[in-house]
Amino acid sequence: MSKHWKEVKAEIEREIDHIFWEEPEEVKMSRLGIFPSGAGTDGQVLGNLFFLVCDTQAMGWWTVEPAIHSAIEDKDFSLEHCKKMWKYMTVHMAALMGEVMEPNCPAPWLNLPKLWKFCQDIVDSFDTVTTKEEFKSIIWSWGNYVNCLNRWFMLIFPMELGKAFPRVEQDTIKEMAQLSNLFTNVAETSI
């Protein structure tokens, strides 16, 4: 038998309490470049960190959370519509970040097995969720958990790498255009 949604919510809330002020093990592993799954491109993990920031943001405050809350408040959306919508927008990302798929992926792909577990537990508890208020309550906890992970990943992302990619200002573009014209004029006169 599946867990009751209140049990799942309580488990998620305990994890939030645990990781709110203390860096989660999954984040620490990612920060240190430890990905037992082998995730990464050409021996580097910057892309992994990028996806951890972006996908937790998308599953939380940026995309899923506001869409689900709007659907819950919309009288044209039934509870079943809301459940399906949440599954369609969440499960595939949670699986990518935390599912183990032997033999090619021997560990959670992006180090988030708890995220995947909580996602599955929520889906498994859907039979016990009988009102939009109950659904809103468990999804509120999920959103807080995902947003907490997102804050951690934002904190550890190597933003200092951005110094290697400065914005080009309009004055610089004009100067480059003038230099380009100067070079073109010199090349034409020497021919």
Side-chain angles (χ1 to χ4, degrees):
M1 182 173 174
S2 63
K3 293 180 182 178
H4 192 275
W5 73 268
K6 287 182 180 180
E7 182 184 346
V8 176
K9 177 182 172 66
E11 191 175 348
I12 293 170
E13 292 288 333
R14 282 190 298 276
E15 183 63 13
I16 294 168
D17 290 344
H18 177 71
I19 68 171
F20 196 81
W21 296 107
E22 187 176 326
E23 181 180 26
E25 182 179 285
E26 306 94 293
V27 174
K28 185 174 185 176
M29 287 174 62
S30 300
R31 176 174 53 81
L32 295 173
I34 301 168
F35 287 87
S37 64
T41 303
D42 293 331
Q44 60 84 26
V45 298
L46 184 63
N48 299 3
L49 297 175
F50 174 79
F51 280 106
L52 285 164
V53 168
C54 295
D55 286 352
T56 54
Q57 179 178 318
M59 281 195 300
W61 64 271
W62 185 250
T63 306
V64 176
E65 193 172 330
I68 288 297
H69 285 287
S70 293
I72 290 169
E73 299 303 321
D74 189 326
K75 63 179 175 38
D76 293 333
F77 281 81
S78 71
L79 173 60
E80 292 309 310
H81 290 134
C82 294
K83 290 176 183 179
K84 284 182 182 181
M85 186 174 160
W86 185 82
K87 282 172 45 177
Y88 296 158
M89 294 192 319
T90 303
V91 172
H92 66 286
M93 284 189 283
L96 177 64
M97 292 190 281
E99 188 175 17
V100 174
M101 296 177 65
E102 296 284 356
N104 297 334
C105 185
W109 187 245
L110 291 178
N111 290 344
L112 296 179
K114 288 178 190 169
L115 180 94
W116 177 232
K117 179 198 175 306
F118 290 151
C119 178
Q120 292 177 91
D121 287 349
I122 290 171
V123 172
D124 289 344
S125 77
F126 274 175
D127 288 344
T128 67
V129 176
T130 59
T131 68
K132 280 187 169 183
E133 287 70 33
E134 292 173 349
F135 183 69
K136 185 176 184 177
S137 182
I138 193 168
I139 296 306
W140 183 84
S141 296
W142 165 262
N144 286 334
Y145 170 67
V146 172
N147 291 335
C148 188
L149 285 175
N150 179 250
R151 286 188 292 274
W152 277 109
F153 284 120
M154 288 290 289
L155 185 66
I156 63 125
F157 190 83
M159 298 293 183
E160 65 276 7
L161 295 176
K163 291 187 182 280
F165 302 95
R167 182 181 57 240
V168 179
E169 302 294 339
Q170 289 296 320
D171 290 343
T172 304
I173 294 169
K174 290 175 185 172
E175 182 181 350
M176 292 170 90
Q178 289 171 346
L179 291 172
S180 177
N181 286 338
L182 178 65
F183 178 75
T184 304
N185 292 338
V186 170
E188 289 175 359
T189 57
S190 62
I191 294 179

